[in-house]
Amino acid sequence: MIGTGVATLAGFRYWYPGAGDPSIDGVDLDVASGITLVAGASGSGKSSLLRVFNGLVPHFHGGTVTGAATVCGHDVIATPTRLLATKVGFVFQDPELQSVYPSVERDVAFGLENIGTPAAVMRRRVSEALERTGITHLSGRAVSTLSGGERQRLALAGVLAMRPRLLVLDEPLSQLDDAGARALTATLIDLADEGIAMVVAEHRFEHLGALPGRSLAVDHGRVVDAPASKPSHATSFLGVRAAGGLASAPVAWSLDRVAAGPAREAVLESVSVDGRLGEVVALVGPNGGGKTTLLRTIAGLLTPISGTVHRAPGRVAYLPQNPMALLHRPTVGAEVAWTVRGETQSANAAALIAELGLTHLADRDPRDLSTGERQRAAIAAVMAGAPHIALLDEPTRGMDEAARDALCSVIVRMRNAGCSIVLATHDRNLAAAVADRTIAVGSGSARELSPVAVA
Amino acid sequence: MNPRALAVWSLSGVTIALSTGSPVYRTLVLLCALNVLIAFRRPGVSVRGLLIALVAAAAIALATTTLASHTGDHAFLVLPAGIPVIGGPLTLEASLFGLSTGVGIAAAVLAAAPLSLVLQPHALVDALPGALARTGAAIGTALNLIPGIARSATEIRDAQRMRGWRSRRVREWPDLAVPVVLTALEGSITLAEAMEARGYGSGVRTHYSEQVWRRQDVLVALVSAAAACAFIGLRVTGAITDWYPFPELMWPGVSVAGVLCCCALATPLLVWRR
């Protein structure tokens, strides 16, 4: 049965090329105006489902389809994505990989250029889109100089300029700091008020819980109505901490009046902080504030412009923001085994894989996994063995709640084993759950937000 | 400046540099091109690497010709005849010919260099004729990927170093190269997906920035094109003579008209605002 909403799926099944099981399994769905929130575990099929709305599934990805899908009156299976682009705007998970042109205005105009919009109209629409997304002040800037949050809004401006009837957003908050997430959420509410239908897949419900509309859950490719989304919990994992205080623990790393930054341009100025063995330190702060610079300086990947850095002897585990930077072995299991090659604790690798819920994925190629699954695989790859210091840059990116809980358990277990862990994160629930100390990084400085917690 | 006007200027410069063997005209083109490049290069763009490469190329041309060509009356050194290829007299004629060739190469490259060092990649792509607009957008996008690949290579190298990867071991290089290539491919696919989702390929494209021809742009294009045409005409009619140091070494002939044609390539310096 075909419904009367903006988008309708009827008995829709989809198999990726060569896949045995369908990624979308018999979905009947009617998307009306307003906001439709889509939840679901990593790898549940959310991203595949979203791609049906603009025809990327099946037109871009290939594969096999049965059933029917209609969007804004167009049969998705018979209409190429490029022709649906005037009706459906799609904002992808990774804003860094969707900028086409190097300057802000040109990038916003890209879609309008493609559909042959006259230059005068284009300029007006670009200006409106920048204003609507609150980034007029970025006019004239090079895209490469924008923070993750600014890029996310730029991507939104690019699709809004085309005036879509349906807006699809795949984890739009995954890289945003709290302020950016709040601003984007407010923008989405405004757009919904203006009559634009929206489908939003997200794990960070602490912000989206405020969004009015319908909630769905995707589970193994099937869609079910879900109760209204609840804010993520911030359960403390600190209760399982081993007895013993931190004050007497040896210093694992320290920065003394350090100035540092990429290309020798100081992002951090005269920063003095330290961390102890058996301690979790959370670095929080706005996008572009210097959290990654601080992590890289501790890791020794960035030579300080001035000041001194001390690290206790032992292996330093480092998780970069992009998990694909370190996943290059044919399977998840091989990836983890590569890290612990030559280490006596290599038997722990299998346990870590299980702890992070990756056992069933151990023989899969990391590149075939969803964003959240890749992130867990990358964490397993760096945390395997017995690092003395673990530096994790946005470790919960793309993770569902269950995976985040598993990560919290791993972090606390390793801390109790004496590892010094530093997290750079926007995820305030993660910081609240596992951090002994929180350091705010921004405007060139690092400031302690709470005293050392002694168990 | 209008990218098409600059393209006409570049083409004219390359044409003159490659159509003459005279070191005088080649040097004039080189000087004009170098000045235009330095005056109008994009902010933050360094020409040092290019200049080093050109000096190296000219040095190679000079050395190769000097060592391999043993023709000429003015020998300044005689290498033992038993040495393969380079054995025999090294002559002033061969060295000057090699030097002139090197200057010609440098002049042609410097005349073409502003297309990449003055213009933004997308500006040049936008300058392509309408029939090539889609191809142009694809090329521009590919060019835009290059900085991202460089960043990702650094990120991957750092991540692998932290896991014990050492660049000194050749057999471990694939641990860096494979993820760089795969990440670049994956990034390209994601970008292609994003482009498709924004209507790429749906019909005739328009351009956000219209390429306005100002009077200065028209002047640069017309003067440059006229200079190149005139230079070719003078060459064909014999009014400009070529220079060849063999069999007899002589000074290159200089024609006022030829010099004026070369100097016309300095027009951008006079009419375009820096």
Side-chain angles (χ1 to χ4, degrees):
Chain A
M1 181 194 85
I2 298 295
T4 55
V6 178
T8 305
L9 274 63
F12 196 89
R13 279 193 173 78
Y14 171 69
W15 291 259
Y16 278 103
D21 297 322
S23 295
I24 301 171
D25 192 5
V27 170
D28 293 297
L29 179 62
D30 210 355
V31 175
S33 33
I35 297 173
T36 302
L37 201 56
V38 180
S42 300
S44 60
K46 291 193 304 295
S47 293
S48 301
L49 177 66
L50 297 193
R51 281 164 168 74
V52 175
F53 293 116
N54 71 344
L56 285 170
V57 164
H59 297 296
F60 188 85
H61 292 277
T64 308
V65 172
T66 62
T70 308
V71 175
C72 302
H74 295 274
D75 177 0
V76 170
I77 298 170
T79 313
T81 298
R82 57 183 179 273
L83 298 182
L84 284 171
T86 53
K87 309 287 180 194
V88 185
F90 198 106
V91 179
F92 292 81
Q93 233 175 57
D94 192 338
E96 291 199 7
L97 293 176
Q98 51 193 307
S99 296
V100 179
Y101 278 118
S103 64
V104 166
E105 289 95 332
R106 283 304 307 269
D107 195 57
V108 174
F110 176 73
L112 296 170
E113 289 180 327
N114 290 332
I115 58 174
T117 311
V121 178
M122 213 179 320
R123 278 194 287 277
R124 195 176 64 243
R125 294 247 210 123
V126 166
S127 179
E128 283 171 6
L130 291 174
E131 194 177 333
R132 214 169 184 186
T133 48
I135 53 171
T136 306
H137 62 286
L138 300 180
S139 294
R141 288 269 299 274
V143 173
S144 59
T145 64
L146 306 186
S147 70
E150 290 168 338
R151 282 190 176 211
Q152 192 66 277
R153 287 209 244 171
L154 173 66
L156 181 60
V159 298
L160 287 181
M162 297 176 79
R163 297 188 175 165
R165 284 188 59 201
L166 173 64
L167 187 56
V168 182
L169 302 105
D170 194 359
E171 299 196 24
L173 308 184
S174 63
Q175 294 189 48
L176 301 188
D177 55 30
D178 277 350
R182 276 195 299 274
L184 186 62
T185 305
T187 304
L188 296 185
I189 292 171
D190 288 346
L191 291 171
D193 289 344
E194 290 170 25
I196 296 178
M198 263 176 280
V199 179
V200 185
E202 186 53 70
H203 292 302
R204 291 179 68 183
F205 292 121
E206 69 265 30
H207 293 285
L208 293 185
L211 287 179
R214 178 186 181 192
S215 293
L216 304 172
V218 181
D219 183 25
H220 293 94
R222 293 174 178 275
V223 172
V224 291
D225 272 309
S229 52
K230 58 179 174 40
S232 311
H233 64 76
T235 308
S236 173
F237 282 71
L238 296 177
V240 295
R241 185 175 173 177
L246 276 173
S248 58
V251 171
W253 57 269
S254 64
L255 272 62
D256 184 21
R257 284 169 292 172
V258 162
R264 310 288 289 170
E265 287 181 20
V267 174
L268 303 175
E269 292 163 359
S270 196
V271 166
S272 296
V273 286
D274 62 23
R276 295 173 183 275
L277 291 173
E279 179 186 49
V280 180
V281 176
L283 306 178
V284 298
N287 287 113
K291 298 189 297 295
T292 298
T293 298
L294 183 50
L295 277 191
R296 288 169 58 80
T297 307
I298 298 170
L301 291 170
L302 205 57
T303 307
I305 299 165
S306 62
T308 54
V309 179
H310 158 78
R311 278 180 302 280
R315 184 162 76 79
V316 179
Y318 174 67
L319 174 77
Q321 269 190 26
N322 172 16
M324 296 320 290
L326 42 78
L327 299 176
H328 62 283
R329 300 277 147 186
T331 66
V332 172
E335 197 66 65
V336 177
W338 193 76
T339 304
V340 295
R341 64 197 186 288
E343 283 195 22
T344 51
Q345 298 88 347
S346 56
N348 294 344
L352 181 62
I353 287 175
E355 203 173 355
L356 286 167
L358 292 167
T359 305
H360 66 295
L361 302 173
D363 294 327
R364 294 268 302 275
D365 188 320
R367 289 178 188 273
D368 290 339
L369 306 181
S370 72
T371 305
E373 290 166 342
R374 284 178 175 193
Q375 185 74 354
R376 277 186 282 155
I379 289 169
V382 299
M383 299 285 264
H388 279 57
I389 300 172
L391 310 168
L392 310 179
D393 202 350
E394 297 294 350
T396 54
R397 183 177 172 182
M399 275 190 185
D400 57 53
E401 207 157 299
R404 192 189 314 174
D405 285 351
L407 173 66
C408 289
S409 297
V410 170
I411 289 172
V412 172
R413 178 178 58 72
M414 294 189 69
R415 180 194 63 170
N416 290 344
C419 182
S420 174
I421 298 170
V422 187
L423 315 164
T425 184
H426 293 309
D427 187 340
R428 58 186 180 200
N429 289 337
L430 175 73
V434 299
D436 296 298
R437 287 195 294 145
T438 303
I439 293 174
V441 183
S443 307
S445 68
R447 183 169 50 90
E448 183 103 16
L449 288 183
S450 61
V452 176
V454 180
Chain B
M1 70 188 66
N2 185 298
R4 286 179 178 157
L6 185 67
V8 171
W9 177 89
S10 277
L11 185 62
S12 304
V14 172
T15 302
I16 294 175
L18 295 181
S19 64
T20 179
S22 167
V24 175
Y25 303 129
R26 285 174 170 175
T27 303
L28 287 172
V29 173
L30 184 146
L31 291 173
C32 289
L34 183 60
N35 276 290
V36 167
L37 183 60
I38 289 172
F40 298 107
R41 67 190 154 153
R42 293 197 307 269
V45 167
S46 167
V47 296
R48 191 166 166 263
L50 174 67
L51 295 181
I52 290 172
L54 289 178
V55 169
I60 289 169
L62 171 64
T64 308
T65 315
T66 303
L67 292 170
S69 167
H70 305 286
T71 312
D73 298 330
H74 300 81
F76 58 85
L77 184 68
V78 179
L79 294 176
I83 304 176
V85 183
I86 65 170
L90 305 185
T91 66
L92 185 60
E93 287 87 342
S95 294
L96 291 174
F97 187 73
L99 189 62
S100 174
T101 305
V103 171
I105 293 169
V109 171
L110 283 173
L115 294 177
S116 65
L117 300 179
V118 171
L119 296 178
Q120 294 282 357
H122 65 80
L124 183 61
V125 165
D126 287 348
L128 290 171
L132 297 174
R134 278 179 62 182
T135 309
I139 294 169
T141 305
L143 291 173
N144 200 28
L145 275 176
I146 293 171
I149 293 170
R151 273 198 306 276
S152 126
T154 306
E155 198 179 33
I156 290 166
R157 185 199 61 201
D158 289 347
Q160 303 298 31
R161 268 176 56 198
M162 296 305 293
R163 295 170 74 198
W165 178 81
R166 291 290 172 268
S167 57
R168 287 188 294 274
R169 300 179 198 154
V170 175
R171 64 192 162 89
E172 292 200 357
W173 285 2
D175 293 329
L176 178 64
V178 170
V180 168
V181 171
L182 289 179
T183 304
L185 285 174
E186 208 168 40
S188 310
I189 291 168
T190 307
L191 186 59
E193 199 181 12
M195 289 170 71
E196 183 90 6
R198 290 172 73 186
Y200 178 69
S202 56
V204 177
R205 293 188 93 240
T206 47
H207 291 302
Y208 178 70
S209 29
E210 289 171 301
Q211 303 208 334
V212 181
W213 282 87
R214 295 168 305 154
R215 268 181 305 181
Q216 296 94 319
D217 301 321
V218 174
L219 188 64
V220 166
L222 285 179
V223 170
S224 307
C229 292
F231 194 88
I232 296 292
L234 292 167
R235 283 277 291 117
V236 170
T237 57
I240 291 177
T241 53
D242 213 346
W243 177 79
Y244 199 65
F246 310 110
E248 189 183 341
L249 184 59
M250 61 176 72
W251 289 103
V254 177
S255 140
V256 174
V259 169
L260 287 176
C261 288
C262 295
C263 290
L265 293 173
T267 308
L269 296 165
L270 304 175
V271 301
W272 275 339
R273 218 180 299 158
R274 289 169 223 190

